Amino acid sequence: MSEARPFVDYYAILRVHPECDHRTLEIAYRNLAKIYHPDHPETADIDMFNAVIEAYRALKDHGKRLAYDTLYSSNTGFAFSADDDILAEERTALSDADVHAEVLLYLYKRRRERAQEPGVGQYELQRMLGCTTEAFDFHAWYLKAKGLIETTDAGSLAITIAGVDHVISTSRTVAQEKLRITQFAGNAGPRAWPHAAAA
């Protein structure tokens, strides 16, 4: 964005919080671009469509986004938090971990329900995640390289034995954590119920 131009609030255009992660940014961009696209006569708005594209291009690159955030702060007074020392890259990594877990769970359910046809098309998975092709390619590459998913003979994606083990192991860990939290809460002493509720 040129300094000669008036300030443009890209976060407002994309309807996201200034500290949102990259995945949220992608989803907002895809949804709004779909709404304002000229192919949708009911909601088409070429000016908004172009504004959404410009906003996403300015924010999708980490370096450009950092430079824009400085400009954003000086124009709006918004103070970006340290977010407990979690940097933008780390927020993106945490978001990616959530995506990987979501893909594996989806493919796990598919294999459980349709063992003879465990594969899911890449387009279906990408649409479910609401991410760009580039982001999806990264997720698919990572999960394949880890041996958690594979490409079937039909060209679709399916979970592997290692992937199933990973989902089960993760589910056990989450269940144990919930149990510990419940037990901790139970040790806090008897709960005082209102007399009206006890009656």
Side-chain angles (χ1 to χ4, degrees):
M1 192 168 89
S2 170
E3 289 294 334
R5 288 184 55 193
F7 171 73
V8 179
D9 189 337
Y10 290 143
Y11 291 116
I13 289 171
L14 293 174
R15 304 178 193 174
V16 294
H17 189 275
E19 293 181 311
C20 72
D21 62 29
H22 188 69
R23 186 176 178 224
T24 301
L25 204 66
E26 282 184 356
I27 292 171
Y29 161 69
R30 289 172 65 85
N31 289 340
L32 291 171
K34 217 177 276 185
I35 290 169
Y36 296 127
H37 196 280
D39 289 347
H40 293 82
E42 305 85 17
T43 56
D45 185 328
I46 193 67
D47 290 334
M48 279 303 298
F49 179 70
N50 289 332
V52 165
I53 291 173
E54 180 184 326
Y56 181 65
R57 283 179 178 165
L59 298 175
K60 69 176 181 175
D61 177 78
H62 178 64
K64 288 182 181 177
R65 184 171 178 180
L66 283 177
Y68 175 77
D69 285 351
T70 302
L71 188 64
Y72 182 85
S73 290
S74 64
N75 279 273
T76 65
F78 182 84
F80 286 88
S81 68
D83 198 13
D84 296 326
D85 297 326
I86 297 178
L87 301 176
E89 298 94 329
E90 292 169 322
R91 285 199 299 271
T92 299
L94 291 172
S95 177
D96 285 346
D98 290 339
V99 171
H100 299 158
E102 189 177 349
V103 169
L104 287 173
L105 189 57
Y106 188 83
L107 293 177
Y108 172 82
K109 289 178 180 176
R110 171 71 177 223
R111 189 173 280 276
R112 286 273 299 159
E113 293 166 2
R114 300 174 68 177
Q116 299 304 314
E117 285 183 56
V120 175
Q122 295 188 31
Y123 176 75
E124 181 182 341
L125 278 173
Q126 185 179 338
R127 187 180 59 183
M128 177 195 76
L129 295 171
C131 64
T132 63
T133 301
E134 292 77 12
F136 181 79
D137 287 346
F138 166 76
H139 300 314
W141 162 79
Y142 173 82
L143 293 170
K144 283 180 186 177
K146 292 285 284 185
L148 302 176
I149 66 172
E150 63 186 357
T151 304
T152 68
D153 292 338
S156 55
L157 295 175
I159 196 168
T160 62
I161 292 174
V164 170
D165 289 344
H166 180 82
V167 170
I168 292 171
S169 174
T170 302
S171 299
R172 282 181 177 156
T173 302
V174 171
Q176 288 169 352
E177 185 61 30
K178 285 181 180 176
L179 180 61
R180 277 197 292 272
I181 292 170
T182 303
Q183 289 172 341
F184 178 77
N187 291 334
R191 184 174 178 181
W193 294 96
H195 293 296

